[in-house]
Amino acid sequence: MKMSGFGVWITAVWILCFAMFGVVLSNYSEDQCSWRGSGLSQQQGSVEQISLHCSEGTLDWLYPKGALRLTLSPRLPSVAVGPGGSSSGLITACVKPSEQFHGAQLYLERDGVLELLVGDRLESSPPPRIRCFSRLPGEKVALFLQATPHQDISRRIASFHYELRGDWTARLSLDSSPISSEDACRPCNNTEILMAVCTSDFVVRGNIRSVEEDENLRAAVIKVSATRVFRQKYALFTGNSRLTSKGEIRTLLQCGVKPGPGSFLFTGRVHFGEAWLGCAPRYKDFHQAYTTAKAAQQIPCELPVD
């Protein structure tokens, strides 16, 4: 009888601990880059404060209830180089809502004023677009998620991927108010090209096979046959051939990229898993600039050129 009572007591303690830790774990961020939690443990009308410290990550809010206030304090990577580059310290942030974003509205909070970025979607609504905004160093901004009332919250998940960059490419064609096409489409000068080789997420020599249009992103998709991959942050250019690999690079439609003969050196940044074009000189022009700078001992980094 004593053993039975002791067993009941142990079971009760275990259930209590599980319940307590279950609530904690539901709103626990596994790292400083991403957060996953549930609104079931929130009080109606409450606002949960979240702080993340990476240049990219995700947020998944299951069964939204109440509100979340997210502040982003990233340790940004080195600035990428390209046309329109700036050293003003301006930071660009982009959020990419999931196609199944439901149950909440996402706002930008700047100086106490809310600006709607992503509304709650109906089942028949098209996928939400990527939204971007910029802030100056020291400027106080936050993302504010407000749950919208629904009788059935079982299928509601407000989820998005975010990126913060200190470079010019982050805002290319991802948002409704990109940087000017005049800046983005201007060819890089030799200094920008040599620096892009050192700082870009990918550096690839190749040819343009075709150019297509991405209506969802309002971007041109350059189909590339890569004859040499000098560097790539992710597996962007892959293939079975030992001599060539294939990949895609996006850029502004306004730049008017056309398929044509010749070998190019493609550089750029990766945004939400996709390659975006930075500098793209003809390879012979890059080779000449690199050789001249190397002879003058003015190259910022080495590249094993042909």
Side-chain angles (χ1 to χ4, degrees):
M1 188 69 179
K2 289 182 180 181
M3 289 297 294
S4 176
F6 181 76
V8 171
W9 180 80
I10 288 293
T11 302
V13 170
W14 172 252
I15 293 175
L16 178 61
C17 290
F18 180 84
M20 292 175 63
F21 282 102
V23 171
V24 173
L25 288 174
S26 67
N27 288 332
Y28 177 71
S29 178
E30 294 183 359
D31 52 41
Q32 294 186 327
C33 303
S34 300
W35 182 90
R36 182 179 177 87
S38 169
L40 296 178
S41 60
Q42 287 185 237
Q43 296 294 325
Q44 188 70 35
S46 65
V47 179
E48 181 161 349
Q49 303 287 335
I50 303 168
S51 182
L52 298 176
H53 304 281
C54 296
S55 59
E56 60 182 287
T58 58
L59 183 142
D60 300 301
W61 193 20
L62 286 66
Y63 322 123
K65 184 179 178 182
L68 302 178
R69 186 177 184 273
L70 171 63
T71 56
L72 301 171
S73 304
R75 295 176 289 274
L76 290 176
S78 58
V79 175
V81 175
S86 172
S87 57
S88 63
L90 192 71
I91 297 173
T92 296
C94 294
V95 292
K96 182 180 182 181
S98 68
E99 294 187 1
Q100 291 77 35
F101 187 97
H102 289 296
Q105 292 181 312
L106 176 62
Y107 295 87
L108 170 65
E109 178 190 322
R110 192 196 302 268
D111 297 327
V113 178
L114 296 179
E115 174 191 343
L116 181 64
L117 296 179
V118 183
D120 192 4
R121 293 181 58 246
L122 301 175
E123 295 292 339
S124 58
S125 300
R129 290 187 178 277
I130 295 172
R131 296 301 307 274
C132 299
F133 59 91
S134 297
R135 68 175 176 88
L136 293 169
E139 186 179 13
K140 294 183 178 180
V141 298
L143 294 175
F144 187 84
L145 285 93
Q146 175 70 55
T148 51
H150 291 279
Q151 291 184 345
D152 179 16
I153 65 171
S154 62
R155 299 174 58 190
R156 310 290 172 180
I157 300 178
S159 177
F160 63 83
H161 186 172
Y162 73 86
E163 281 189 351
L164 290 93
R165 296 279 188 172
D167 61 56
W168 70 281
T169 56
R171 201 163 183 159
L172 279 179
S173 188
L174 298 177
D175 196 8
S176 57
S177 54
I179 62 176
S180 71
S181 58
E182 181 180 353
D183 283 339
C185 301
R186 174 182 62 80
C188 295
N189 59 39
N190 287 346
T191 301
E192 291 170 336
I193 291 170
L194 295 175
M195 188 60 69
V197 167
C198 306
T199 61
S200 295
D201 289 338
F202 61 89
V203 181
V204 174
R205 179 182 180 180
N207 309 305
I208 299 177
R209 294 187 291 116
S210 63
V211 180
E212 300 177 0
E213 182 176 337
D214 185 331
E215 295 182 359
N216 191 35
L217 285 177
R218 295 163 292 169
V221 182
I222 307 168
K223 307 279 188 176
V224 174
S225 291
T227 55
R228 184 167 186 181
V229 178
F230 293 100
R231 182 172 67 254
Q232 58 179 339
K233 187 176 180 180
Y234 304 104
L236 302 170
F237 299 88
T238 59
N240 297 325
S241 172
R242 185 173 58 86
L243 299 178
T244 62
S245 55
K246 296 180 180 180
E248 298 179 354
I249 305 174
R250 285 160 172 75
T251 190
L252 286 176
L253 278 174
Q254 299 95 305
C255 293
V257 177
K258 303 292 183 182
S263 178
F264 296 84
L265 186 76
F266 299 99
T267 69
R269 284 291 193 184
V270 177
H271 296 292
F272 300 118
E274 296 173 335
W276 285 83
L277 188 64
C279 297
R282 289 191 176 274
Y283 189 80
K284 62 181 180 60
D285 296 332
F286 156 73
H287 191 277
Q288 180 178 353
Y290 181 87
T291 302
T292 302
K294 186 174 183 179
Q297 297 183 338
Q298 293 179 346
I299 54 172
C301 66
E302 294 272 353
L303 195 71
V305 297
D306 300 333

